[in-house]
Coordinates of all heavy atoms in Angstrom, one line a residue:
M1 N 59.6 54.5 -63.4 CA 58.9 53.2 -63.5 C 57.7 53.2 -62.7 O 56.7 52.6 -63.1 CB 59.9 52.1 -63.1 CG 59.2 50.8 -63.0 SD 60.3 49.5 -63.5 CE 59.4 48.1 -62.9
L2 N 57.7 53.8 -61.5 CA 56.5 53.8 -60.7 C 55.4 54.5 -61.4 O 54.2 54.1 -61.3 CB 56.8 54.4 -59.3 CG 55.7 54.5 -58.3 CD1 55.2 53.0 -58.1 CD2 56.1 55.1 -57.0
D3 N 55.7 55.6 -62.1 CA 54.7 56.3 -62.8 C 54.0 55.5 -63.9 O 52.8 55.5 -64.1 CB 55.2 57.6 -63.5 CG 55.6 58.7 -62.5 OD1 55.0 58.7 -61.4 OD2 56.4 59.5 -62.8
D4 N 54.8 54.6 -64.6 CA 54.2 53.8 -65.6 C 53.3 52.7 -65.0 O 52.2 52.4 -65.5 CB 55.4 53.0 -66.3 CG 56.2 54.0 -67.2 OD1 55.6 55.0 -67.6 OD2 57.4 53.7 -67.4
I5 N 53.6 52.2 -63.8 CA 52.8 51.2 -63.1 C 51.5 51.9 -62.7 O 50.4 51.3 -62.9 CB 53.5 50.6 -61.9 CG1 54.7 49.8 -62.4 CG2 52.6 49.8 -61.1 CD1 55.6 49.3 -61.3
I6 N 51.6 53.1 -62.1 CA 50.4 53.8 -61.7 C 49.4 54.1 -62.9 O 48.3 53.8 -62.8 CB 50.7 55.0 -60.9 CG1 51.4 54.7 -59.6 CG2 49.5 55.9 -60.7 CD1 52.0 55.8 -58.8
K7 N 50.0 54.6 -63.9 CA 49.2 54.9 -65.1 C 48.5 53.6 -65.7 O 47.4 53.7 -66.1 CB 50.0 55.6 -66.2 CG 50.4 57.0 -65.9 CD 51.3 57.6 -67.0 CE 51.8 58.9 -66.5 NZ 52.8 59.4 -67.5
S8 N 49.2 52.6 -65.8 CA 48.7 51.4 -66.4 C 47.6 50.7 -65.5 O 46.7 50.1 -66.0 CB 49.8 50.4 -66.7 OG 50.4 49.9 -65.5
N9 N 47.7 50.8 -64.2 CA 46.8 50.2 -63.3 C 45.5 51.1 -63.1 O 44.4 50.6 -62.9 CB 47.4 50.0 -61.9 CG 48.4 48.8 -62.0 OD1 48.3 48.0 -62.9 ND2 49.3 48.8 -61.0
L10 N 45.7 52.4 -63.1 CA 44.6 53.3 -62.8 C 43.8 53.8 -64.0 O 42.7 54.1 -64.0 CB 45.0 54.5 -62.0 CG 45.6 54.1 -60.6 CD1 46.1 55.4 -59.9 CD2 44.6 53.4 -59.8
G11 N 44.5 53.9 -65.2 CA 43.9 54.5 -66.3 C 43.9 56.0 -66.2 O 44.5 56.6 -65.3
A12 N 43.1 56.7 -67.0 CA 43.0 58.1 -66.9 C 42.1 58.5 -65.7 O 41.0 57.9 -65.5 CB 42.4 58.7 -68.2
I13 N 42.6 59.5 -65.0 CA 41.8 60.0 -63.8 C 41.4 61.4 -64.1 O 42.3 62.2 -64.4 CB 42.7 59.9 -62.5 CG1 43.0 58.4 -62.2 CG2 41.9 60.5 -61.3 CD1 44.0 58.2 -61.1
T14 N 40.1 61.7 -63.9 CA 39.7 63.1 -64.0 C 38.9 63.4 -62.8 O 38.4 62.6 -62.1 CB 38.7 63.3 -65.3 OG1 37.6 62.4 -65.1 CG2 39.5 62.9 -66.6
V15 N 38.8 64.7 -62.5 CA 38.0 65.2 -61.4 C 37.1 66.3 -61.9 O 37.5 67.2 -62.6 CB 39.0 65.8 -60.3 CG1 38.2 66.4 -59.2 CG2 40.0 64.7 -59.8
E16 N 35.8 66.2 -61.5 CA 34.8 67.2 -61.9 C 34.1 67.6 -60.6 O 33.7 66.7 -59.8 CB 33.9 66.7 -62.9 CG 34.5 66.4 -64.2 CD 33.5 65.9 -65.3 OE1 32.4 66.4 -65.3 OE2 33.8 65.0 -66.0
T17 N 34.0 68.9 -60.3 CA 33.3 69.3 -59.1 C 32.2 70.3 -59.4 O 32.0 70.8 -60.5 CB 34.3 70.1 -58.2 OG1 34.8 71.2 -58.9 CG2 35.5 69.2 -57.8
E18 N 31.3 70.5 -58.4 CA 30.2 71.4 -58.5 C 30.4 72.4 -57.4 O 31.0 72.2 -56.4 CB 28.9 70.7 -58.4 CG 28.5 69.7 -59.5 CD 28.1 70.5 -60.8 OE1 27.7 71.6 -60.7 OE2 28.2 69.8 -61.8
Q19 N 29.7 73.6 -57.6 CA 29.8 74.6 -56.6 C 28.5 74.5 -55.7 O 27.4 74.7 -56.1 CB 29.8 76.0 -57.2 CG 30.0 77.2 -56.3 CD 31.4 77.3 -55.8 OE1 32.3 76.8 -56.4 NE2 31.6 78.1 -54.8
N20 N 28.7 74.2 -54.4 CA 27.6 74.1 -53.4 C 26.5 73.2 -53.7 O 25.4 73.4 -53.4 CB 27.0 75.6 -53.2 CG 28.1 76.5 -52.6 OD1 28.9 76.2 -51.8 ND2 28.0 77.7 -53.1
R21 N 26.8 72.1 -54.4 CA 25.8 71.0 -54.7 C 26.5 69.8 -55.2 O 27.7 69.8 -55.5 CB 24.8 71.5 -55.7 CG 25.4 71.7 -57.1 CD 24.3 72.1 -58.1 NE 24.8 72.1 -59.4 CZ 24.3 71.6 -60.4 NH1 23.1 71.1 -60.3 NH2 24.8 71.7 -61.6
G22 N 25.8 68.7 -55.2 CA 26.3 67.5 -55.9 C 26.1 67.5 -57.4 O 25.5 68.5 -57.9
H23 N 26.5 66.5 -58.0 CA 26.3 66.4 -59.5 C 24.8 66.1 -59.7 O 24.2 65.3 -59.0 CB 27.1 65.3 -60.1 CG 28.6 65.6 -60.0 ND1 29.2 66.7 -60.7 CD2 29.6 65.0 -59.4 CE1 30.5 66.7 -60.5 NE2 30.8 65.7 -59.7
P24 N 24.2 66.7 -60.8 CA 22.8 66.4 -61.2 C 22.7 65.0 -61.8 O 23.7 64.4 -62.2 CB 22.5 67.5 -62.2 CG 23.8 67.8 -62.8 CD 24.9 67.7 -61.7
P25 N 21.5 64.5 -61.8 CA 21.2 63.2 -62.4 C 21.8 63.0 -63.8 O 22.3 62.0 -64.2 CB 19.7 63.0 -62.4 CG 19.3 64.0 -61.3 CD 20.2 65.1 -61.3
E26 N 21.7 64.1 -64.6 CA 22.2 64.0 -66.0 C 23.7 63.7 -66.1 O 24.2 63.0 -66.9 CB 21.9 65.4 -66.7 CG 20.4 65.6 -67.0 CD 19.7 66.2 -65.7 OE1 20.3 66.5 -64.7 OE2 18.4 66.2 -65.8
W27 N 24.5 64.3 -65.1 CA 25.9 64.0 -65.1 C 26.2 62.6 -64.8 O 27.0 61.9 -65.4 CB 26.5 64.9 -64.0 CG 28.0 64.8 -63.9 CD1 28.9 65.6 -64.6 CD2 28.8 63.9 -63.1 NE1 30.2 65.2 -64.3 CE2 30.2 64.2 -63.4 CE3 28.5 62.9 -62.2 CZ2 31.2 63.5 -62.8 CZ3 29.5 62.2 -61.6 CH2 30.9 62.5 -61.9
W28 N 25.4 62.0 -63.8 CA 25.6 60.6 -63.5 C 25.2 59.7 -64.6 O 25.8 58.7 -64.9 CB 24.8 60.3 -62.2 CG 25.4 60.9 -61.0 CD1 25.0 62.0 -60.3 CD2 26.7 60.5 -60.4 NE1 25.8 62.3 -59.3 CE2 26.9 61.4 -59.3 CE3 27.6 59.5 -60.6 CZ2 28.0 61.3 -58.4 CZ3 28.7 59.4 -59.8 CH2 28.9 60.3 -58.7
A29 N 24.1 60.1 -65.3 CA 23.6 59.3 -66.4 C 24.7 59.3 -67.5 O 24.9 58.2 -68.2 CB 22.3 59.8 -66.9
E30 N 25.3 60.4 -67.8 CA 26.3 60.5 -68.8 C 27.5 59.6 -68.5 O 28.1 58.9 -69.3 CB 26.8 61.9 -69.0 CG 25.8 62.8 -69.7 CD 26.3 64.3 -69.7 OE1 27.5 64.5 -69.6 OE2 25.4 65.1 -70.0
R31 N 28.0 59.7 -67.2 CA 29.1 58.9 -66.8 C 28.8 57.4 -66.9 O 29.6 56.6 -67.4 CB 29.5 59.1 -65.3 CG 29.9 60.5 -64.9 CD 31.1 61.1 -65.5 NE 31.0 61.5 -66.9 CZ 30.3 62.6 -67.3 NH1 29.7 63.4 -66.5 NH2 30.3 62.9 -68.6
L32 N 27.6 57.0 -66.5 CA 27.3 55.5 -66.6 C 27.1 55.1 -68.0 O 27.6 54.0 -68.4 CB 26.0 55.3 -65.8 CG 25.6 53.8 -65.5 CD1 26.7 53.0 -65.0 CD2 24.4 53.8 -64.6
T33 N 26.5 55.9 -68.8 CA 26.4 55.6 -70.2 C 27.7 55.4 -70.9 O 27.9 54.5 -71.7 CB 25.5 56.7 -71.0 OG1 24.3 56.8 -70.4 CG2 25.4 56.3 -72.4
E34 N 28.6 56.3 -70.6 CA 30.0 56.1 -71.1 C 30.7 54.8 -70.7 O 31.4 54.2 -71.5 CB 30.9 57.3 -70.7 CG 30.5 58.6 -71.4 CD 30.6 58.6 -72.9 OE1 31.6 58.0 -73.4 OE2 29.8 59.2 -73.6
R35 N 30.4 54.4 -69.5 CA 31.0 53.2 -69.0 C 30.4 51.9 -69.7 O 31.0 50.9 -69.9 CB 30.8 53.0 -67.5 CG 31.4 54.1 -66.7 CD 32.8 53.9 -66.1 NE 33.2 52.6 -65.8 CZ 33.7 52.2 -64.6 NH1 33.7 53.1 -63.6 NH2 34.1 51.0 -64.4
I36 N 29.1 52.0 -70.0 CA 28.4 50.9 -70.6 C 28.6 50.8 -72.1 O 28.8 49.8 -72.6 CB 26.9 51.0 -70.3 CG1 26.6 50.8 -68.8 CG2 26.1 50.0 -71.1 CD1 25.2 51.1 -68.3
C37 N 28.5 52.0 -72.8 CA 28.5 52.0 -74.2 C 29.7 52.7 -74.8 O 29.8 53.9 -74.8 CB 27.3 52.7 -74.7 SG 25.7 52.0 -74.2
G38 N 30.6 52.0 -75.3 CA 31.8 52.5 -76.0 C 31.6 52.3 -77.5 O 31.1 51.3 -77.9
I39 N 31.9 53.3 -78.2 CA 31.8 53.2 -79.7 C 33.2 53.4 -80.3 O 33.9 54.4 -80.1 CB 30.8 54.3 -80.2 CG1 29.5 54.1 -79.6 CG2 30.7 54.2 -81.7 CD1 28.5 55.2 -79.9
S40 N 33.5 52.5 -81.1 CA 34.9 52.5 -81.8 C 35.0 53.6 -82.7 O 34.1 54.0 -83.4 CB 35.1 51.2 -82.5 OG 36.3 51.2 -83.3
E41 N 36.2 54.2 -82.7 CA 36.5 55.3 -83.7 C 36.5 54.8 -85.1 O 36.2 55.5 -86.0 CB 37.9 55.9 -83.4 CG 38.0 56.5 -82.0 CD 37.4 57.9 -82.0 OE1 37.4 58.6 -83.1 OE2 36.9 58.3 -80.9
N42 N 36.7 53.5 -85.3 CA 36.8 52.9 -86.6 C 35.5 52.3 -87.1 O 35.5 51.6 -88.1 CB 37.9 51.9 -86.6 CG 39.3 52.5 -86.2 OD1 39.6 53.6 -86.5 ND2 40.1 51.7 -85.6
A43 N 34.4 52.5 -86.3 CA 33.2 51.8 -86.7 C 32.7 52.4 -88.0 O 32.8 53.5 -88.3 CB 32.1 52.1 -85.6
A44 N 32.1 51.5 -88.8 CA 31.5 51.9 -90.1 C 30.3 52.9 -89.8 O 29.7 52.8 -88.7 CB 30.9 50.7 -90.8
P45 N 30.1 53.8 -90.7 CA 29.1 54.9 -90.4 C 27.7 54.3 -90.0 O 27.1 54.9 -89.1 CB 29.0 55.6 -91.7 CG 30.3 55.4 -92.4 CD 30.8 54.0 -92.0
H46 N 27.2 53.3 -90.7 CA 25.9 52.7 -90.3 C 25.9 52.1 -89.0 O 25.0 52.1 -88.2 CB 25.4 51.8 -91.4 CG 26.1 50.5 -91.5 ND1 27.4 50.4 -92.1 CD2 25.8 49.2 -91.0 CE1 27.8 49.1 -92.0 NE2 26.9 48.4 -91.4
V47 N 27.0 51.5 -88.6 CA 27.2 50.8 -87.3 C 27.3 51.9 -86.2 O 26.6 51.9 -85.2 CB 28.4 49.9 -87.2 CG1 28.7 49.4 -85.8 CG2 28.3 48.8 -88.2
R48 N 28.0 53.0 -86.5 CA 28.2 54.1 -85.6 C 26.8 54.8 -85.3 O 26.5 55.1 -84.2 CB 29.2 55.2 -86.1 CG 29.3 56.4 -85.2 CD 30.4 57.3 -85.7 NE 31.7 56.8 -85.3 CZ 32.1 56.9 -84.0 NH1 31.4 57.3 -83.1 NH2 33.3 56.4 -83.7
Q49 N 26.0 54.9 -86.4 CA 24.7 55.6 -86.2 C 23.8 54.7 -85.3 O 23.1 55.2 -84.5 CB 24.1 55.7 -87.6 CG 22.8 56.5 -87.6 CD 22.2 56.7 -89.0 OE1 22.6 55.9 -89.9 NE2 21.3 57.6 -89.2
Q50 N 23.8 53.4 -85.5 CA 23.0 52.5 -84.7 C 23.5 52.5 -83.2 O 22.7 52.6 -82.3 CB 23.1 51.1 -85.2 CG 22.3 50.9 -86.5 CD 22.5 49.5 -87.1 OE1 23.3 48.7 -86.6 NE2 21.7 49.2 -88.1
A51 N 24.8 52.6 -83.1 CA 25.4 52.6 -81.7 C 25.1 53.9 -81.0 O 24.8 53.9 -79.8 CB 26.9 52.4 -81.8
E52 N 25.1 55.0 -81.7 CA 24.7 56.3 -81.1 C 23.3 56.3 -80.7 O 22.9 56.8 -79.6 CB 25.0 57.4 -82.1 CG 26.5 57.7 -82.3 CD 27.2 58.3 -81.2 OE1 26.6 58.7 -80.2 OE2 28.5 58.3 -81.2
A53 N 22.4 55.7 -81.5 CA 21.0 55.6 -81.1 C 20.8 54.8 -79.9 O 20.0 55.1 -79.0 CB 20.2 55.1 -82.3
F54 N 21.5 53.6 -79.9 CA 21.4 52.7 -78.7 C 22.0 53.5 -77.5 O 21.4 53.4 -76.4 CB 22.3 51.5 -79.0 CG 22.3 50.5 -77.8 CD1 21.2 49.8 -77.5 CD2 23.4 50.4 -77.1 CE1 21.2 48.9 -76.4 CE2 23.5 49.5 -76.0 CZ 22.4 48.8 -75.6
K55 N 23.1 54.2 -77.6 CA 23.7 54.9 -76.5 C 22.7 55.9 -75.9 O 22.6 56.1 -74.7 CB 25.0 55.6 -77.0 CG 25.8 56.2 -75.9 CD 27.1 56.6 -76.4 CE 28.0 57.2 -75.4 NZ 29.3 57.6 -75.9
L56 N 22.0 56.6 -76.8 CA 21.0 57.6 -76.4 C 19.9 56.9 -75.6 O 19.4 57.5 -74.6 CB 20.5 58.4 -77.6 CG 19.4 59.5 -77.3 CD1 20.0 60.5 -76.3 CD2 18.9 60.1 -78.5
A57 N 19.4 55.8 -76.1 CA 18.3 55.1 -75.4 C 18.8 54.6 -74.0 O 18.0 54.7 -73.1 CB 17.9 53.9 -76.3
I58 N 20.0 54.2 -73.9 CA 20.6 53.7 -72.6 C 20.6 54.9 -71.7 O 20.2 54.9 -70.5 CB 22.0 53.1 -72.8 CG1 21.9 51.8 -73.6 CG2 22.7 52.9 -71.5 CD1 21.1 50.7 -72.9
Y59 N 21.1 56.1 -72.2 CA 21.2 57.3 -71.4 C 19.8 57.7 -70.9 O 19.7 58.0 -69.7 CB 21.8 58.5 -72.2 CG 21.7 59.8 -71.6 CD1 22.6 60.2 -70.6 CD2 20.6 60.7 -71.9 CE1 22.5 61.4 -70.0 CE2 20.5 61.9 -71.2 CZ 21.4 62.3 -70.3 OH 21.3 63.5 -69.7
E60 N 18.8 57.7 -71.7 CA 17.5 58.1 -71.3 C 16.9 57.1 -70.3 O 16.3 57.6 -69.3 CB 16.5 58.2 -72.5 CG 16.9 59.3 -73.5 CD 16.7 60.7 -72.9 OE1 15.9 60.9 -72.0 OE2 17.3 61.6 -73.4
T61 N 17.2 55.9 -70.4 CA 16.7 54.8 -69.5 C 17.4 55.0 -68.1 O 16.7 55.0 -67.1 CB 17.0 53.4 -70.0 OG1 16.3 53.3 -71.2 CG2 16.5 52.4 -69.0
I62 N 18.7 55.2 -68.1 CA 19.4 55.5 -66.9 C 19.0 56.7 -66.2 O 18.7 56.7 -65.0 CB 21.0 55.5 -67.2 CG1 21.5 54.2 -67.6 CG2 21.7 56.1 -66.0 CD1 22.9 54.2 -68.2
L63 N 18.8 57.8 -67.0 CA 18.4 59.1 -66.4 C 17.0 58.9 -65.7 O 16.8 59.4 -64.6 CB 18.4 60.2 -67.4 CG 18.0 61.6 -67.0 CD1 18.9 62.1 -65.9 CD2 18.0 62.5 -68.2
Y64 N 16.1 58.3 -66.4 CA 14.8 58.1 -65.9 C 14.8 57.4 -64.5 O 14.2 57.8 -63.5 CB 13.9 57.3 -66.8 CG 12.6 56.9 -66.3 CD1 11.5 57.8 -66.2 CD2 12.4 55.6 -65.8 CE1 10.3 57.5 -65.6 CE2 11.1 55.3 -65.2 CZ 10.1 56.2 -65.1 OH 8.9 55.8 -64.6
H65 N 15.6 56.3 -64.5 CA 15.6 55.5 -63.2 C 16.4 56.2 -62.1 O 16.1 56.0 -60.9 CB 16.2 54.1 -63.5 CG 15.2 53.3 -64.3 ND1 14.0 52.7 -63.7 CD2 15.1 52.9 -65.6 CE1 13.3 52.1 -64.6 NE2 13.9 52.2 -65.8
I66 N 17.4 57.0 -62.4 CA 18.1 57.7 -61.4 C 17.1 58.7 -60.8 O 17.0 58.9 -59.6 CB 19.3 58.5 -62.0 CG1 20.4 57.5 -62.3 CG2 19.8 59.6 -61.0 CD1 21.6 58.1 -63.0
K67 N 16.3 59.4 -61.6 CA 15.4 60.4 -61.1 C 14.3 59.7 -60.3 O 13.9 60.2 -59.2 CB 14.7 61.2 -62.3 CG 15.7 62.2 -62.9 CD 15.0 62.9 -64.0 CE 16.0 64.0 -64.6 NZ 15.4 64.8 -65.6
Q68 N 13.9 58.5 -60.7 CA 12.9 57.8 -59.9 C 13.5 57.4 -58.5 O 12.8 57.4 -57.5 CB 12.4 56.5 -60.6 CG 11.6 56.8 -61.8 CD 10.3 57.6 -61.5 OE1 9.6 57.3 -60.5 NE2 10.0 58.6 -62.3
A69 N 14.8 57.0 -58.5 CA 15.4 56.6 -57.3 C 15.5 57.8 -56.3 O 15.3 57.7 -55.1 CB 16.8 56.0 -57.6
I70 N 15.8 59.0 -56.9 CA 15.9 60.2 -56.1 C 14.6 60.5 -55.4 O 14.5 60.8 -54.2 CB 16.5 61.4 -56.9 CG1 17.9 61.2 -57.2 CG2 16.2 62.7 -56.2 CD1 18.4 62.1 -58.3
N71 N 13.5 60.4 -56.3 CA 12.2 60.7 -55.7 C 11.8 59.7 -54.7 O 11.2 60.1 -53.6 CB 11.2 60.7 -56.9 CG 11.3 61.9 -57.8 OD1 11.8 62.9 -57.4 ND2 10.8 61.7 -59.0
S72 N 12.1 58.4 -54.9 CA 11.8 57.4 -53.9 C 12.5 57.6 -52.6 O 12.0 57.5 -51.5 CB 12.2 56.0 -54.5 OG 11.9 55.0 -53.5
E73 N 13.8 58.0 -52.7 CA 14.6 58.3 -51.4 C 14.0 59.5 -50.7 O 13.9 59.5 -49.5 CB 16.1 58.5 -51.8 CG 17.0 58.7 -50.6 CD 17.0 57.6 -49.6 OE1 16.6 56.5 -49.9 OE2 17.5 57.8 -48.5
R74 N 13.6 60.5 -51.5 CA 13.1 61.7 -50.8 C 11.8 61.4 -50.1 O 11.5 61.8 -49.0 CB 12.8 62.8 -51.8 CG 14.0 63.6 -52.2 CD 13.7 64.7 -53.2 NE 15.0 65.3 -53.6 CZ 15.1 66.1 -54.7 NH1 14.0 66.3 -55.4 NH2 16.2 66.6 -55.0
C75 N 11.0 60.5 -50.7 CA 9.7 60.1 -50.1 C 10.0 59.3 -48.8 O 9.4 59.6 -47.8 CB 8.9 59.2 -51.1 SG 7.4 58.5 -50.4
T76 N 11.0 58.4 -48.8 CA 11.4 57.7 -47.7 C 11.9 58.6 -46.5 O 11.5 58.5 -45.4 CB 12.5 56.6 -48.0 OG1 12.0 55.7 -49.0 CG2 13.0 55.9 -46.8
M77 N 12.7 59.5 -46.9 CA 13.2 60.5 -45.9 C 12.1 61.4 -45.3 O 12.1 61.6 -44.1 CB 14.4 61.3 -46.5 CG 15.6 60.5 -47.0 SD 16.3 59.6 -45.7 CE 16.9 60.8 -44.6
A78 N 11.2 61.8 -46.2 CA 10.1 62.7 -45.7 C 9.2 61.9 -44.7 O 8.8 62.4 -43.7 CB 9.3 63.2 -46.9
N79 N 9.0 60.7 -45.1 CA 8.1 59.8 -44.2 C 8.8 59.6 -42.9 O 8.2 59.5 -41.8 CB 7.7 58.5 -44.9 CG 6.7 58.7 -46.0 OD1 6.0 59.7 -45.9 ND2 6.7 57.8 -46.9
L80 N 10.1 59.3 -42.9 CA 10.9 59.1 -41.7 C 10.9 60.4 -40.8 O 10.7 60.3 -39.6 CB 12.4 58.7 -42.0 CG 13.3 58.5 -40.9 CD1 12.8 57.3 -40.0 CD2 14.7 58.2 -41.4
L81 N 11.1 61.6 -41.4 CA 11.0 62.8 -40.7 C 9.6 63.0 -40.1 O 9.5 63.4 -38.9 CB 11.4 64.0 -41.6 CG 12.9 64.1 -42.0 CD1 13.0 65.1 -43.1 CD2 13.7 64.5 -40.8
R82 N 8.6 62.8 -40.8 CA 7.2 62.9 -40.3 C 7.0 62.0 -39.1 O 6.4 62.4 -38.1 CB 6.2 62.6 -41.4 CG 5.6 63.8 -42.1 CD 4.5 63.4 -43.0 NE 4.6 64.3 -44.2 CZ 5.2 63.9 -45.3 NH1 5.7 62.7 -45.5 NH2 5.4 64.8 -46.3
S83 N 7.5 60.7 -39.2 CA 7.2 59.8 -38.2 C 8.0 60.2 -36.9 O 7.6 59.7 -35.8 CB 7.7 58.4 -38.6 OG 9.1 58.3 -38.7
Q84 N 9.0 61.0 -37.0 CA 9.7 61.5 -35.8 C 9.3 62.9 -35.4 O 9.9 63.5 -34.6 CB 11.2 61.5 -36.2 CG 11.8 60.1 -36.4 CD 13.2 60.1 -36.7 OE1 13.9 61.1 -36.9 NE2 13.8 58.9 -36.9
G85 N 8.2 63.3 -36.0 CA 7.6 64.6 -35.5 C 8.2 65.8 -36.2 O 8.0 67.0 -35.7
H86 N 8.9 65.7 -37.3 CA 9.5 66.8 -38.0 C 8.7 67.2 -39.3 O 9.3 67.1 -40.4 CB 10.9 66.5 -38.3 CG 11.8 66.2 -37.1 ND1 12.1 67.1 -36.2 CD2 12.3 65.0 -36.8 CE1 12.9 66.5 -35.3 NE2 13.0 65.2 -35.6
E87 N 7.5 67.5 -39.1 CA 6.6 67.8 -40.3 C 7.2 69.0 -41.1 O 7.1 69.0 -42.3 CB 5.2 68.1 -39.8 CG 4.2 68.4 -40.9 CD 4.0 67.1 -41.8 OE1 3.9 66.0 -41.2 OE2 3.9 67.3 -43.0
D88 N 7.8 70.0 -40.4 CA 8.3 71.1 -41.1 C 9.5 70.7 -42.0 O 9.6 71.2 -43.2 CB 8.8 72.2 -40.1 CG 9.7 71.7 -39.1 OD1 9.7 70.5 -38.8 OD2 10.5 72.5 -38.5
L89 N 10.4 69.9 -41.6 CA 11.5 69.4 -42.4 C 11.0 68.5 -43.5 O 11.5 68.6 -44.6 CB 12.5 68.7 -41.5 CG 13.3 69.5 -40.5 CD1 14.2 68.6 -39.6 CD2 14.1 70.6 -41.2
A90 N 10.0 67.7 -43.2 CA 9.4 66.8 -44.3 C 8.8 67.7 -45.4 O 9.0 67.3 -46.6 CB 8.4 65.9 -43.7
K91 N 8.2 68.7 -45.1 CA 7.6 69.6 -46.1 C 8.7 70.3 -46.9 O 8.6 70.4 -48.1 CB 6.8 70.7 -45.4 CG 6.0 71.6 -46.3 CD 5.2 72.6 -45.6 CE 4.6 73.6 -46.6 NZ 3.8 74.7 -46.0
I92 N 9.8 70.7 -46.3 CA 10.9 71.3 -47.0 C 11.5 70.3 -48.0 O 11.7 70.6 -49.1 CB 12.0 71.8 -46.0 CG1 11.4 73.1 -45.3 CG2 13.3 72.2 -46.8 CD1 12.3 73.5 -44.1
L93 N 11.7 69.1 -47.5 CA 12.3 68.0 -48.3 C 11.4 67.7 -49.5 O 11.8 67.6 -50.7 CB 12.5 66.8 -47.5 CG 13.2 65.6 -48.2 CD1 14.6 66.0 -48.7 CD2 13.3 64.4 -47.3
K94 N 10.1 67.7 -49.3 CA 9.1 67.4 -50.4 C 9.1 68.5 -51.5 O 9.0 68.2 -52.6 CB 7.7 67.3 -49.8 CG 6.7 66.9 -50.8 CD 5.3 66.6 -50.2 CE 4.3 66.2 -51.2 NZ 3.0 66.1 -50.7
E95 N 9.4 69.7 -51.1 CA 9.4 70.9 -52.0 C 10.7 70.9 -52.8 O 10.7 71.7 -53.8 CB 9.2 72.2 -51.2 CG 7.8 72.3 -50.6 CD 7.7 73.5 -49.7 OE1 8.7 74.3 -49.5 OE2 6.6 73.7 -49.2
L96 N 11.7 70.2 -52.4 CA 13.0 70.2 -53.2 C 12.9 69.7 -54.6 O 12.1 68.8 -54.9 CB 14.1 69.5 -52.4 CG 14.6 70.1 -51.1 CD1 15.6 69.2 -50.5 CD2 15.2 71.5 -51.4

């Protein structure tokens, strides 16, 4: 009975890992797109085609903004390092 309660409350749980790094922006964009855009298995072909096009547009928008956020954070971190006298570390961060 406890197993049934846990399954119904949590849903499906999956784990994905990377070797010596975090997940790339594309992985995050895929996860978020899946959460936003669900397409019914029973959708009519013309509806499915439109939904897939919309889903791709959402993915591209999310990916673009994730990459912009990463670049913005790197800029902030590099400027913070520079302001504290760590020009060498700021240069390394900029090159990433």
Side-chain angles (χ1 to χ4, degrees):
M1 172 141 165
L2 183 57
D3 288 338
D4 292 334
I5 293 170
I6 292 172
K7 286 179 188 173
S8 65
N9 288 338
L10 296 178
I13 298 173
T14 60
V15 176
E16 296 182 39
T17 61
E18 293 286 338
Q19 185 79 18
N20 297 321
R21 67 179 188 134
H23 293 294
E26 293 79 8
W27 185 89
W28 290 106
E30 287 174 20
R31 300 297 76 71
L32 189 51
T33 301
E34 290 297 322
R35 302 264 330 233
I36 293 171
C37 302
I39 302 173
S40 172
E41 296 282 331
N42 302 326
H46 70 283
V47 173
R48 176 173 282 288
Q49 186 178 19
Q50 290 175 348
E52 291 290 347
F54 177 73
K55 189 174 182 178
L56 180 59
I58 293 296
Y59 170 81
E60 294 294 335
T61 301
I62 291 169
L63 181 59
Y64 171 80
H65 287 286
I66 288 173
K67 287 180 177 182
Q68 291 301 315
I70 290 168
N71 289 337
S72 180
E73 181 63 13
R74 283 185 183 160
C75 178
T76 299
M77 296 303 293
N79 288 336
L80 181 61
L81 288 168
R82 259 188 222 97
S83 72
Q84 294 178 356
H86 303 290
E87 185 64 40
D88 55 337
L89 293 176
K91 183 179 176 185
I92 291 169
L93 185 60
K94 187 177 178 182
E95 292 172 358
L96 291 177

